Amino acid sequence: EADIYQTPRYLVIGTGKKITLECSQTMGHDKMYWYQQDPGMELHLIHYSYGVNSTEKGDLSSESTVSRIRTEHFPLTLESARPSHTSQYLCASSGVGGPSTGELFFGEGSRLTVL
Amino acid sequence: AQSVSQHNHHVILSEAASLELGCNYSYGGTVNLFWYVQYPGQHLQLLLKYFSGDPLVKGIKGFEAEFIKSKFSFNLRKPSVQWSDTAEYFCAVNNNAGNMLTFGGGTRLMVKP
């Protein structure tokens, strides 16, 4: 059972609003990730972090930003949401060995709709 | 850059039918390969993985996958599917030096009872 939690699970907001998607893990993992997934499409890595105060952009450009002030939290923020941001956002974490061991643990996702 | 292709976006099978989901990747070096599964309303979870050794890998719930290096493929198989196998299946790859997984587009499997 994965111990990684995302809130909210579903969010519908208007254009221009600021939103933060929360992600927390209780496994003490150093590495955390945000993936974006449109229906029927690949998961694309948009942000990752290897530890506190470490954040990097992934292979898909995103207007969102992330922070990693504490090991267990990796929130994602959109300062001004637009309809093009409508998507599902998946948070994941991994421990020793990281993705090389394949042991990514995923949250249940946050489905964002921007009207 | 590495990429992963899953050719079947939607598959519908009856219970007890055999399953094979295709996965091809593009990367010339040594890779690690994975299949993840997402059951309805649940999070993505690891189904099986290949690092080295026997190219036929067995995972949970009777699934297996075969790594064919010459074909750059890592197809997922199950001899007899059950209704509970209804889910979305994702193939993923990373190279030995990489720190990120690249995912395919997923295959949505529906098993009719």
Side-chain angles (χ1 to χ4, degrees):
Chain A
E1 194 72 23
D3 295 314
I4 181 164
Y5 307 99
Q6 291 186 240
T7 56
R9 290 286 311 278
Y10 301 94
L11 179 63
V12 180
I13 60 168
T15 297
K17 300 292 186 182
K18 177 180 179 179
I19 64 112
T20 296
L21 305 180
E22 300 287 349
C23 177
S24 299
Q25 50 95 4
T26 60
M27 296 171 282
H29 286 168
D30 287 332
K31 300 178 179 70
M32 296 189 74
Y33 315 84
W34 276 103
Y35 285 85
Q36 183 175 340
Q37 182 189 22
D38 293 321
M41 305 294 287
E42 300 90 341
L43 277 74
H44 288 289
L45 182 69
I46 52 174
H47 298 286
Y48 61 98
S49 167
Y50 288 160
V52 171
N53 294 325
S54 154
T55 61
E56 301 286 345
K57 290 190 179 295
D59 55 8
L60 179 69
S61 176
S62 174
E63 293 170 342
S64 59
T65 59
V66 292
S67 62
R68 190 84 184 279
I69 298 172
R70 287 159 42 189
T71 298
E72 59 270 28
H73 288 154
F74 192 41
L76 180 146
T77 299
L78 277 164
E79 290 293 333
S80 179
R82 295 204 301 269
S84 60
H85 297 139
T86 294
S87 189
Q88 175 160 252
Y89 295 84
L90 294 171
C91 182
S93 72
S94 63
V96 175
S100 293
T101 68
E103 297 294 347
L104 257 65
F105 295 90
F106 283 86
E108 292 183 315
S110 292
R111 191 171 293 278
L112 172 66
T113 301
V114 184
L115 304 176
Chain B
Q2 58 203 28
S3 65
V4 181
S5 297
Q6 292 181 242
H7 311 295
N8 311 103
H9 296 296
H10 293 90
V11 173
I12 302 174
L13 295 173
S14 298
E15 276 195 314
S18 65
L19 169 72
E20 180 160 2
L21 301 182
C23 172
N24 287 91
Y25 64 93
S26 65
Y27 182 73
T30 304
V31 292
N32 300 321
L33 298 153
F34 313 91
W35 277 96
Y36 278 80
V37 60
Q38 186 171 28
Y39 297 103
Q42 297 187 26
H43 55 268
L44 272 164
Q45 55 189 290
L46 185 65
L47 193 57
L48 50 77
K49 60 187 177 184
Y50 171 81
F51 288 164
S52 64
D54 189 343
L56 185 62
V57 179
K58 295 193 184 297
I60 60 172
K61 303 185 180 184
F63 285 91
E64 64 181 30
E66 184 175 13
F67 171 50
I68 303 179
K69 188 175 182 179
S70 61
K71 294 184 178 180
F72 297 90
S73 70
F74 190 56
N75 292 354
L76 180 71
R77 299 195 295 249
K78 186 170 183 178
S80 176
V81 294
Q82 301 172 307
W83 176 79
S84 58
D85 293 324
T86 294
E88 190 159 15
Y89 294 82
F90 293 89
C91 183
V93 63
N94 88 327
N95 59 55
N96 270 339
N99 287 301
M100 289 169 274
L101 283 180
T102 300
F103 285 84
T107 298
R108 195 175 294 272
L109 171 67
M110 178 182 294
V111 180
K112 298 183 294 184

